Amino acid sequence: MTTSALVRAKAYNLTTRLAVAVNWRIAAGALALFALFVALFAVVQFATPGIADNDGYYHMKLGLLMREQGLKPPFVWLPMSLLSREAFYDHHLLYHVYLALFAGDTPEALTFGAKIAAMIMPALAFTAVWWLLRGQRVRWASLWAVGLFAVSEAFLYRMSMPRAQSASLLILALGLHWMFQRRFTLLIPLGFVYVWAYNAFPLLIALAALYTTATFLTERRIEWQALVYPAIGIGLGLIVNPYFPQNVAFIVNHLAPKIGESETAVGNEWYPYQTWTLIENSGFSLAAFLLGTFAIGWRGKRIDRVQLTALLAAMAFGFLLFKSRRFVEYYPAFALIFAALNVAPLVEGWLADRVRWQRWLPVGMIVVLIVPLIITLGQARVAMGRSKPADLYAGASAWLKTNTSPGSLVFQTDWDDFTRLFFYNTSNLYTIGLDPTYMELYDADLYAEWVKITQGKVEQPSQAIRARFGGEYVMSDLDHTGFLNKAEDDPGLTEVYRDQYAVIFEVE
C-alpha cells in the first residue's frame, strides 16, 4: 500500500470512529432526555390513583381485548350506534396495539399499565420535538424541549391521558422535521401509520400545506412532494386497512357534527375555553408565541421557510384552539417550536462577539425556565388530582356482571358513563357511549327519545326503555334527579343496587 493510500485509510478509519462516537453520544443524550421526560410525566401522572379522563378507560380495556382476542375483537357493546358490530371501525388501531403492551389482567394492573403507557408516549413526542430543534441546529435544544413542561398545564394534562393525542403530536413533530430536512419520501409511511393510529391524520396534510405555502413565499418554489407524499400515505392507509370501507363512512359521520352546526351536546373538549381560562392554563405558551413574534422583528432579517412554517403552524393551531379546547394538545408545542426557531438565531447573533457569555447561556435558560416549570407542573398535578375516583362505577359494574345474564342490555342516563362500565364489565351491552352523535346519526328519533327519558320528561319510562331500547336494567348516576324522580313513581322499575355513585334499576 502506498503512503498516500495508507494516509487515506487512516483518515477514513479516524473519521468512522469519530462518527460512531458522535452517534453514540447523540443516542445517549436522547435516551437521557427521554428518561427525564418520563420522570416529569410521572410527577403529573401519579397525582391520582386513577386514569386521567373518562375515555382512557375505554382505550385501555380495548387494548386488553386486543391482546386477548386479536387485532379485531368483535365490538358488540354499542349496538344502537355507529359503533355497532357491523359498522365498527377502530380509529385508534395502532394506538390500541401500543396500549396492549401494557395491559394487565386485573383492573388495578390495567390502570397501572395505562399510566405507564401515558408517560412513555408523550415522552417520545417531546423527544421528537427535541430532535426537530436539534435538526435545525437550535442551540441548547434539550432545554427548549424541557420547556414543553412549562408552557401549559392543560397541555400536560391532556398529554397524560392514555389517548392517541400524544402519538399524534409525535407523528406531527416527525413529519415537520422531515419536511424541514426535505426527506419527503418518509412522509409516505408516516401518513400510512397516522391513519392506522388516530383519526386526526388530516392534520398532517394541513401541516404539509403550511410548509408548501411557506416554501413558495420564501423561496418561490413549489415543493409538491411535501404535500403529495403524505397524501399518498394517507390514501394507502385508508384503503389498505382491515376496516375498509366502513372506516371511510365512519370518518365522514364522526367529523361532520364537529365541523358543522350540530345541536347535539358533545364532550367538553370540542367547545372553546373562556379567554381568561385559556390565559390561566396556557399563558406561558401564549408568551412563547409573542416572544417568537418579537424575535422576528428584532432580527431585522428576512424570514426563511422553516421559521415561516413554524409561524403558520402556531397560528393555525392557535386559531383551532380558540374554536375547540382539545387543540391545546398541539398549540403549546408548536408555539414553543416557533419561539425556539426564531429566538435561537437572535441569541446566536448576540453571542457571536461575546464568547465569554456563551458558557452562561444554559444557566440563564434554566433560570428563566425554573419558575414556569414549577408553576405548570404543579397546576398539572392539581388538574390530575381532580380526576374522578378510580373506582367510580366499579361497584355497579360488579353487580351487573354478577347478577345479570351475559348480553343483557343496560340503559344509561349519561352517555359518558359507558367507558368506565365497559372497563369493569364487558358482559353487558350498553345503550350509548363514547360520543352522543354516534347514536344520533344511527337513529335520530331513538336518540331524541333517549334524551327525553334521561331528562325526566317521560312518565313511566320503563315502558319505552323496554320496548324501544330493549333495556333490561337501568344504570344512573345520582345527579339525574329528573329521571330518578320519575323512576320512583314507575312500578316497572325496581331498585336493585345503590352506592355513593350510582343506582341500578331492573326493568319489569
Side-chain angles (χ1 to χ4, degrees):
M1 181 179 293
T2 63
T3 302
S4 59
L6 184 60
V7 171
R8 285 196 301 269
K10 288 182 177 180
Y12 176 80
N13 290 335
L14 179 60
T15 302
T16 302
R17 287 197 297 270
L18 288 173
V20 170
V22 169
N23 289 337
W24 275 108
R25 181 181 177 185
I26 294 171
L31 186 60
L33 197 60
F34 169 75
L36 174 62
F37 292 161
V38 170
L40 290 174
F41 272 112
V43 171
V44 178
Q45 188 63 241
F46 288 100
T48 177
I51 299 175
D53 186 63
N54 286 328
D55 285 1
Y57 288 90
Y58 158 77
H59 292 297
M60 199 63 203
K61 186 57 176 281
L62 199 58
L64 174 62
L65 294 175
M66 187 177 288
R67 196 189 74 183
E68 294 175 342
Q69 302 177 22
L71 195 63
K72 292 180 63 178
F75 194 89
V76 299
W77 296 278
L78 292 172
M80 289 172 281
S81 78
L82 292 179
L83 296 179
S84 64
R85 179 168 185 162
E86 298 76 19
F88 177 73
Y89 162 50
D90 187 355
H91 50 295
H92 302 79
L93 180 62
L94 283 184
Y95 188 72
H96 289 149
V97 171
Y98 166 73
L99 291 180
L101 301 174
F102 304 90
D105 295 325
T106 65
E108 295 76 16
L110 206 56
T111 299
F112 182 77
K115 297 175 83 66
I116 298 301
M119 290 155 49
I120 292 175
M121 184 58 74
L124 288 171
F126 283 21
T127 304
V129 172
W130 164 77
W131 188 251
L132 183 157
L133 296 177
R134 182 186 174 279
Q136 295 305 307
R137 295 180 173 82
V138 172
R139 183 182 285 258
W140 300 107
S142 57
L143 288 177
W144 282 104
V146 171
L148 290 166
F149 286 91
V151 287
S152 167
E153 59 93 355
F155 171 61
L156 291 185
Y157 176 77
R158 292 194 66 83
M159 285 290 106
S160 298
M161 297 176 181
R163 295 176 58 181
Q165 53 256 34
S166 54
S168 180
L169 179 60
L170 169 63
I171 291 171
L172 290 177
L174 288 175
L176 189 60
H177 171 65
W178 287 332
M179 289 176 204
F180 289 164
Q181 298 291 325
R182 291 191 162 107
R183 302 178 67 183
F184 301 122
T185 55
L186 293 175
L187 299 176
I188 297 177
L190 190 69
F192 185 95
V193 168
Y194 207 174
V195 173
W196 280 47
Y198 191 33
N199 64 337
F201 60 84
L203 292 177
L204 183 60
I205 294 293
L207 195 61
L210 295 177
Y211 170 83
T212 304
T213 301
T215 303
F216 177 76
L217 291 175
T218 56
E219 300 180 6
R220 294 297 186 268
R221 54 188 293 178
I222 300 176
E223 291 194 332
W224 56 268
Q225 304 96 322
L227 199 54
V228 172
Y229 286 5
I232 292 173
I234 287 172
L236 290 173
L238 290 171
I239 297 171
V240 185
N241 192 295
Y243 289 97
F244 182 80
Q246 61 260 42
N247 59 334
V248 177
F250 175 85
I251 290 167
V252 173
N253 288 324
H254 178 59
L255 293 179
K258 311 301 188 300
I259 299 174
E261 297 296 329
S262 174
E263 296 181 359
T264 300
V266 292
N268 287 335
E269 63 187 18
W270 289 101
Y271 297 98
Y273 285 114
Q274 293 183 350
T275 302
W276 186 249
T277 301
L278 182 61
I279 292 173
E280 287 181 327
N281 67 31
S282 303
F284 291 121
S285 66
L286 299 174
F289 178 78
L290 291 176
L291 179 62
T293 304
F294 288 142
I296 294 175
W298 288 336
R299 286 183 64 207
K301 294 182 180 180
R302 186 167 179 252
I303 193 170
D304 62 27
R305 66 181 174 93
V306 169
Q307 295 162 339
L308 182 55
T309 301
L311 170 62
L312 294 177
M315 291 175 63
F317 281 115
F319 171 78
L320 291 173
L321 176 57
F322 278 101
K323 298 287 288 184
S324 169
R325 66 185 65 185
R326 73 169 307 156
F327 288 98
V328 79
E329 301 160 7
Y330 304 101
Y331 171 74
F334 281 91
L336 184 134
I337 290 170
F338 165 65
L341 291 174
N342 286 278
V343 172
L346 185 68
V347 174
E348 288 287 340
W350 184 82
L351 288 175
D353 299 324
R354 298 172 176 84
V355 178
R356 63 178 180 177
W357 287 92
Q358 293 182 12
R359 70 182 66 180
W360 296 105
L361 176 62
V363 177
M365 290 184 67
I366 292 172
V367 170
V368 171
L369 268 178
I370 194 69
V371 172
L373 195 65
I374 293 173
I375 292 173
T376 304
L377 280 171
Q379 290 175 336
R381 277 185 57 83
V382 170
M384 184 68 72
R386 290 196 295 262
S387 300
K388 293 179 181 180
D391 61 348
L392 187 71
Y393 305 146
S397 299
W399 189 94
L400 287 167
K401 188 174 183 179
T402 302
N403 297 281
T404 68
S405 57
S408 56
L409 190 137
V410 178
F411 181 98
Q412 316 116 258
T413 56
D414 203 332
W415 61 269
D416 63 1
D417 289 342
F418 164 76
T419 56
R420 291 172 181 262
L421 293 170
F422 175 75
F423 180 82
Y424 287 107
N425 173 26
T426 53
S427 176
N428 292 106
L429 307 183
Y430 301 94
T431 312
I432 188 171
L434 296 178
D435 191 316
T437 62
Y438 292 170
M439 177 187 274
E440 182 189 33
L441 293 168
Y442 175 82
D443 189 327
D445 293 336
L446 192 68
Y447 174 74
E449 189 162 3
W450 176 83
V451 171
K452 290 180 181 179
I453 292 172
T454 60
Q455 292 178 347
K457 297 179 180 179
V458 175
E459 299 295 333
Q460 295 194 343
S462 62
Q463 298 177 12
I465 290 173
R466 171 66 81 169
R468 287 282 281 145
F469 296 89
E472 300 173 57
Y473 296 87
V474 176
M475 200 290 298
S476 176
D477 59 45
L478 303 182
D479 295 329
H480 280 73
T481 54
F483 170 80
L484 294 176
N485 290 335
K486 290 294 189 293
E488 288 180 5
D489 299 328
D490 188 342
L493 293 176
T494 303
E495 183 176 322
V496 292
Y497 175 88
R498 181 184 288 263
D499 62 19
Q500 60 180 322
Y501 302 122
V503 58
I504 298 175
F505 300 93
E506 184 175 4
V507 184
E508 302 295 338

